[in-house]
Amino acid sequence: MASWIEQTVWWQVFPLGFVGAPQEAEPAALVTHRLSHLHGWLDYAVELGASGLALGPIFAASTHGYDTVDHFRIDPRLGDEADFDALIAAARARGLRVLLDGVFNHVGRAHPAFQDVLRHGPGSERAGWFRLSWPRGSGPGIEPDYACFEGHRQLVTLNHDDPRVADHVAAVMGHWIARGADGWRLDAAYAVPPRFWARVLRQVRLAHPEAYVVGEVIHGDYARIVQDSGLDAVTQYELWKAIWSALNDRNLFELAHALDRHNGYLDRFAPLTFVGNHDVTRIASRLTDERHLPHALAILLTCGGTPSIYAGDEQAFRGVKEERVGGDDAIRPAFPPTPADLAPYGWPVYRLHQDLIALRRRQGGLHRARARTLHLAKAELVLALGDGRARVMTALNLADAAATLPVPEARAIEAGGGDLAEAGGAGARVTLPAHGWAILSV
């Protein structure tokens, strides 16, 4: 795994939404240079504490970016290759790594390979790229039945048993890494056989050993998938769900259980951790009690893994994902020209992110930090977190009354609030106000 990932905090952006691009490809592939809109936000990301920019889809597509038509071309709604180069240069100048979003489980119907199949029928040279079922007597111009992604007929599933598909994906990944990207998020990695990723990544890493590759995996045996695929990491949806669910139900037993499982993953790899992304309801909307947003962030930024902050969450943006056409629009909004144009009421949450990310960097050793439960009740939790030794303690109180919790050996409150008694001693304890939280140094 790339060593630089140990210090990385991603700021994730969904570019097509962020820059206000049209929802469908423009006629005649008209190039509009919108990608430069991101330049005005790079200093904001650095000041937040991020060290990496994780981009959503940026390659030529028909609509939302996940129906790719050309992996080697920047989406004309965003700009062109020169715009990509300029963004890479601007990110580099600020010390920001760049992660790309690779959609390699499927392509859009307008992809040239699938269009060739529709034109030439079973005799198409690219027919093997897809999983097709031809009606009897098929020929040119006859449309086959085909595997598609989760029932979406516009998303044509690739045949991952065809070596040409693996070679194509390896070529795409290598091309953009050579052009300046630092790694890839592999969309819908859970839908692709791990042996396919293993073949692709062997090729990619021969030329680019420092590339970081994380797979989108929602459920399943995370550790086994990482082992069999050669991925560096997968997305930690188990922990994401446990964080907001435990806070909403005021049931910290659920969170403690999820963190125990998370410890097991950390023995094998460092998951990509998050409380929000471009596919889920924003954390500020998901929580039923807004007083618990700091609790969610305290967990995210003290537990092991590689944290990712979805653009707008650091300003407590609201947005609910709906299971319908256009149901992602509310969580993928356009951003104003500069951060100065943001509403004033989100900045306290931004400053809280700054403080917690800075604390994470100061403490060190949290990338592989295991969580050890020191105190657990339904609405109370104290965790000792560290790699090898405890470096911080995270104390949470979800109750409507103040609570005094044991924090043995804790020396000082680094973030949050409360009263610490007998600091540094075995009997140290912290009194948290109702719905309070604290991160303490050990």
Side-chain angles (χ1 to χ4, degrees):
M1 183 182 70
S3 58
W4 53 265
I5 197 65
E6 295 180 6
Q7 305 301 323
T8 301
V9 175
W10 297 108
W11 189 58
Q12 187 210 351
V13 170
F14 188 80
L16 288 168
F18 192 98
V19 306
Q23 294 188 351
E24 296 186 3
E26 296 172 297
L30 178 68
V31 175
T32 307
H33 303 281
R34 296 184 175 95
L35 202 56
S36 58
H37 179 41
L38 275 167
H39 292 217
W41 290 82
L42 296 181
D43 289 337
Y44 169 93
V46 171
E47 290 162 8
L48 177 69
S51 53
L53 177 67
L55 298 174
I58 61 170
F59 305 116
S62 298
T63 58
H64 44 55
Y66 291 102
D67 49 358
T68 315
V69 299
D70 189 345
H71 292 101
F72 288 103
R73 183 162 58 100
I74 300 299
D75 194 303
R77 292 172 290 172
L78 296 174
D80 55 23
E81 285 64 39
D83 293 305
F84 175 81
D85 293 342
L87 180 59
I88 291 290
R92 284 279 178 275
R94 294 162 173 82
L96 289 170
R97 301 277 182 171
V98 177
L99 190 74
L100 301 182
D101 200 344
V103 187
F104 302 127
N105 175 67
H106 48 267
V107 296
R109 276 182 59 95
H111 192 282
F114 191 67
Q115 288 298 306
D116 191 75
V117 168
L118 297 182
R119 280 194 303 273
H120 299 293
S124 167
E125 291 185 357
R126 305 233 197 150
W129 279 45
F130 307 99
R131 297 189 178 277
L132 309 173
S133 178
W134 295 95
R136 185 172 297 176
S138 291
I142 301 297
E143 180 167 321
D145 192 16
Y146 54 90
C148 60
F149 178 59
E150 297 183 350
H152 300 287
R153 299 295 289 172
Q154 294 299 317
L155 304 178
V156 187
T157 301
L158 291 163
N159 175 15
H160 297 99
D161 292 330
D162 191 316
R164 294 173 299 174
V165 173
D167 291 343
H168 170 74
V169 171
V172 171
M173 293 178 69
H175 171 81
W176 293 104
I177 295 172
R179 196 141 186 169
D182 295 283
W184 289 86
R185 168 198 179 266
L186 300 178
D187 180 67
Y190 57 87
V192 176
R195 64 180 179 276
F196 175 82
W197 297 128
R199 174 177 178 146
V200 167
L201 294 178
R202 276 195 299 270
Q203 295 183 59
V204 172
R205 289 196 167 114
L206 282 174
H208 307 287
E210 281 293 294
Y212 171 73
V213 184
V214 55
E216 181 196 18
V217 177
I218 298 174
H219 48 72
D221 188 340
Y222 290 172
R224 182 63 180 268
I225 292 169
V226 168
Q227 175 184 307
D228 292 350
S229 65
L231 293 166
D232 292 307
V234 296
T235 50
Q236 227 303 26
Y237 270 90
E238 281 186 11
L239 185 59
W240 161 77
K241 189 269 180 184
I243 290 172
W244 60 260
S245 178
L247 295 177
N248 282 350
D249 294 343
R250 298 196 195 183
N251 179 13
L252 291 168
F253 287 95
E254 179 183 1
L255 177 59
H257 174 73
L259 286 168
D260 282 342
R261 288 179 57 81
H262 189 64
N263 287 340
Y265 299 139
L266 287 163
D267 291 337
R268 309 283 287 279
F269 68 97
L272 183 77
T273 55
F274 59 95
V275 292
N277 64 32
H278 65 293
D279 280 329
V280 301
T281 291
R282 287 194 180 271
I283 187 64
S285 293
R286 178 74 75 172
L287 293 174
T288 55
D289 190 331
E290 65 182 15
R291 291 174 294 182
H292 297 158
L293 180 58
H295 299 61
L297 300 177
I299 299 161
L300 174 67
L301 291 166
T302 56
C303 75
T306 304
S308 178
I309 311 296
Y310 181 46
D313 282 358
E314 76 285 347
Q315 292 278 344
F317 276 20
R318 267 63 172 179
V320 175
K321 177 184 173 69
E322 299 178 9
E323 297 301 329
R324 60 174 178 80
V325 175
D328 293 317
D329 293 351
I331 58 174
R332 302 174 182 177
F335 275 57
T338 71
D341 300 306
L342 289 169
Y345 47 76
W347 287 101
V349 176
Y350 178 88
R351 288 189 285 273
L352 175 58
H353 278 78
Q354 285 181 311
D355 292 344
L356 293 177
I357 294 172
L359 184 154
R360 184 180 182 88
R361 295 201 188 287
R362 286 197 309 273
Q363 293 299 329
L366 293 181
H367 186 243
R368 292 286 187 132
R370 276 52 161 197
R372 181 163 54 92
T373 301
L374 301 181
H375 172 79
L376 177 60
K378 192 170 183 184
E380 301 171 2
L381 179 63
V382 177
L383 298 168
L385 300 118
D387 184 3
R389 67 176 182 84
R391 295 177 181 271
V392 297
M393 289 184 188
T394 297
L396 308 177
N397 177 23
L398 307 182
D400 295 325
T404 299
L405 310 179
V407 286
E409 318 298 336
R411 293 183 290 107
I413 294 175
E414 300 290 336
D419 293 317
L420 178 61
E422 297 187 36
R429 56 197 180 276
V430 63
T431 299
L432 300 178
H435 303 280
W437 63 281
I439 300 172
L440 305 100
S441 56
V442 181

